[in-house]
């Protein structure tokens, strides 16, 4: 197997490792809060607790906040506006703090995705001016999704409300319909692969030029053996990136606080989605 393929296989193996474990809390918020009791916070609406950790910097970028949010259940409770408003098919309901503790959906492990169309949209991930982000929990085979709206108010991120709807009618609906089939049917997946898939290796230090090579469909399936298969639930983060193209989608897989990043580039040709490139 060529050098690039060996590295790609190693990256996919790392994804397996990430999928099977949780990240260590970068801000050690859990250690600081062990003595706290959730029951000590009364009332339906929990206000922010008075503490020095996580540092203010953790609220500047959504990713820094979210990594702590998903890793620490106690911290999570403090950053949700209870009772949480939930909108489903034009019906509004409320989720109380005690109910949330039973259904908490943010035990998502160490991997998430970003669906986008233009490379410049990735600048939003590092834009401190972003104050609204939607985290989508996409149930691929059920064609439904849960959307969690986060707002930054007074300099701190909070989960403000929750929405439920079918994803077929969303801007990414056509692509998601294809992708749900792509990851669950190997025969369909083979048909949706380019005859030669471009693999781009981008050096982490940014000093060397990117390496490019092409792999066959058989080599693609060889690499995929043992890799995590996201055929049921996809966690997508919408930072406000453009979602208007019906001919190009990039699915970026990101690891939580471990530097893992892979991009799967899909293009629609003759009304058929195809995987054309992989970049890592």
């Amino acid at each position: 197997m060529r050098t690039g393929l060996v590295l790609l296989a190693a990256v996919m193996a790392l994804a397996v490792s990430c999928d099977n474990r949780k990240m260590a809390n970068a801000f050690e918020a859990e250690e600081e809060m062990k003595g706290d009791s959730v029951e000590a916070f009364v009332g339906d609406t929990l206000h922010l607790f008075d503490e020095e950790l996580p540092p203010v910097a953790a609220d500047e970028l959504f990713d820094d906040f979210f990594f702590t949010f998903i890793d620490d259940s106690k911290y999570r409770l403090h950053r949700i506006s209870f009772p949480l408003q939930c909108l489903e098919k034009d019906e509004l309901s409320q989720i109380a703090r005690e109910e949330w503790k039973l259904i908490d959906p943010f035990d998502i492990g160490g991997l998430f995705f970003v669906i986008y169309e233009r490379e410049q949209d990735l600048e939003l991930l590092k834009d401190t001016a972003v104050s609204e982000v939607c985290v989508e929990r996409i149930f691929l085979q059920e064609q439904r999704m849960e959307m969690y709206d986060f707002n930054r108010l007074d300099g701190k991120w909070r989960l403000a409300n929750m929405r439920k709807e079918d994803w077929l009618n969303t801007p990414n609906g056509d692509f998601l319909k294809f992708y749900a089939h792509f990851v669950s049917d190997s025969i369909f997946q083979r048909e949706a692969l380019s005859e030669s898939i471009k693999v781009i290796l981008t050096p982490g230090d940014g000093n060397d030029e990117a390496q490019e090579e092409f792999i066959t469909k058989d080599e693609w399936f060889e690499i995929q053996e043992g890799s995590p298969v996201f055929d049921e639930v996809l966690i997508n983060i919408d930072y406000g990136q453009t979602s208007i193209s019906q001919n190009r989608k990039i699915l970026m897989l990101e690891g939580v606080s471990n530097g893992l990043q892979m991009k799967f580039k899909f293009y629609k040709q003759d009304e058929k989605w195809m995987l054309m490139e992989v970049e890592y």
Side-chain angles (χ1 to χ4, degrees):
M1 186 180 288
R2 298 187 292 275
T3 302
L5 298 186
V6 173
L7 291 174
L8 180 55
V11 172
M12 297 305 293
L14 176 59
V16 175
S17 175
C18 294
D19 194 46
N20 290 332
R21 73 175 190 273
K22 296 244 188 112
M23 68 169 282
N25 190 336
F27 304 105
E28 298 181 352
E30 185 173 359
E31 293 297 323
E32 292 292 321
M33 297 170 60
K34 279 184 177 178
D36 294 339
S37 170
V38 174
E39 284 70 28
F41 298 90
V42 296
D44 286 328
T45 302
L46 291 181
H47 298 285
L48 299 181
F49 51 106
D50 185 15
E51 63 168 26
E52 294 182 0
L53 291 178
V56 173
D59 277 299
E60 291 182 355
L61 295 176
F62 179 78
D63 281 7
D64 293 338
F65 153 77
F66 190 61
F67 295 165
T68 305
F69 183 85
I70 63 176
D71 190 57
D72 189 329
S73 59
K74 290 185 179 180
Y75 175 78
R76 191 153 61 239
L77 282 171
H78 289 281
R79 289 301 185 95
I80 300 174
S81 298
F82 289 112
L84 186 66
Q85 305 295 311
C86 179
L87 182 64
E88 181 176 8
K89 296 180 179 179
D90 296 326
E91 293 187 6
L92 186 64
S93 61
Q94 295 183 339
I95 301 176
R97 174 166 54 93
E98 292 303 317
E99 294 177 287
W100 176 270
K101 289 164 64 177
L102 299 176
I103 65 171
D104 192 339
F106 282 103
D107 185 12
I108 64 175
L111 296 172
F112 64 91
F113 292 84
V114 179
I115 301 174
Y116 67 104
E117 298 167 5
R118 307 176 305 172
E119 291 296 337
Q120 57 262 42
D121 285 342
L122 291 184
E123 297 176 4
L124 292 170
L125 279 67
K126 303 301 180 184
D127 188 349
T128 57
V130 172
S131 59
E132 296 181 357
V133 173
C134 179
V135 176
E136 300 173 342
R137 195 163 182 245
I138 302 168
F139 298 86
L140 289 169
Q141 306 307 322
E142 301 175 31
Q143 296 186 353
R144 65 182 180 89
M145 64 193 304
E146 297 172 353
M147 295 176 289
Y148 299 87
D149 296 319
F150 290 84
N151 296 331
R152 185 169 59 176
L153 299 174
D154 299 325
K156 295 192 176 184
W157 285 100
R158 294 180 66 82
L159 174 57
N161 58 69
M162 173 183 173
R163 293 172 288 143
K164 297 181 180 181
E165 65 178 60
D166 297 335
W167 50 250
L168 278 174
N169 297 322
T170 66
N172 288 322
D174 180 66
F175 173 73
L176 290 174
K177 182 178 180 180
F178 154 78
Y179 187 75
H181 198 178
F182 181 84
V183 293
S184 61
D185 185 332
S186 61
I187 296 176
F188 177 82
Q189 183 175 144
R190 179 175 288 274
E191 295 175 348
L193 296 174
S194 174
E195 289 299 326
S196 58
I197 305 165
K198 180 187 286 189
V199 176
I200 303 173
L201 170 61
T202 304
D205 55 16
N207 296 323
D208 298 326
E209 293 185 1
Q211 301 177 23
E212 296 184 4
E213 64 180 77
F214 291 85
I215 64 174
T216 66
K217 294 183 179 185
D218 288 338
E219 288 173 324
W220 164 264
F221 281 102
E222 180 182 346
I223 293 169
Q224 289 293 304
E225 288 186 14
S227 300
V229 179
F230 302 92
D231 58 352
E232 295 183 1
V233 179
L234 201 68
I235 303 297
N236 175 54
I237 301 185
D238 182 356
Y239 301 86
Q241 58 265 32
T242 302
S243 296
I244 59 175
S245 174
Q246 295 303 315
N247 298 308
R248 168 187 169 93
K249 296 291 181 183
I250 303 174
L251 187 64
M252 183 172 70
L253 169 65
E254 286 230 77
V256 175
S257 193
N258 57 20
L260 173 65
Q261 185 179 102
M262 294 187 67
K263 298 177 182 179
F264 303 89
K265 300 182 180 182
F266 296 86
Y267 297 86
K268 197 173 188 180
Q269 300 178 340
D270 299 325
E271 299 301 315
K272 181 180 179 181
W273 284 102
M274 302 287 291
L275 174 62
M276 307 291 287
E277 297 181 20
V278 180
E279 181 178 341
Y280 63 102

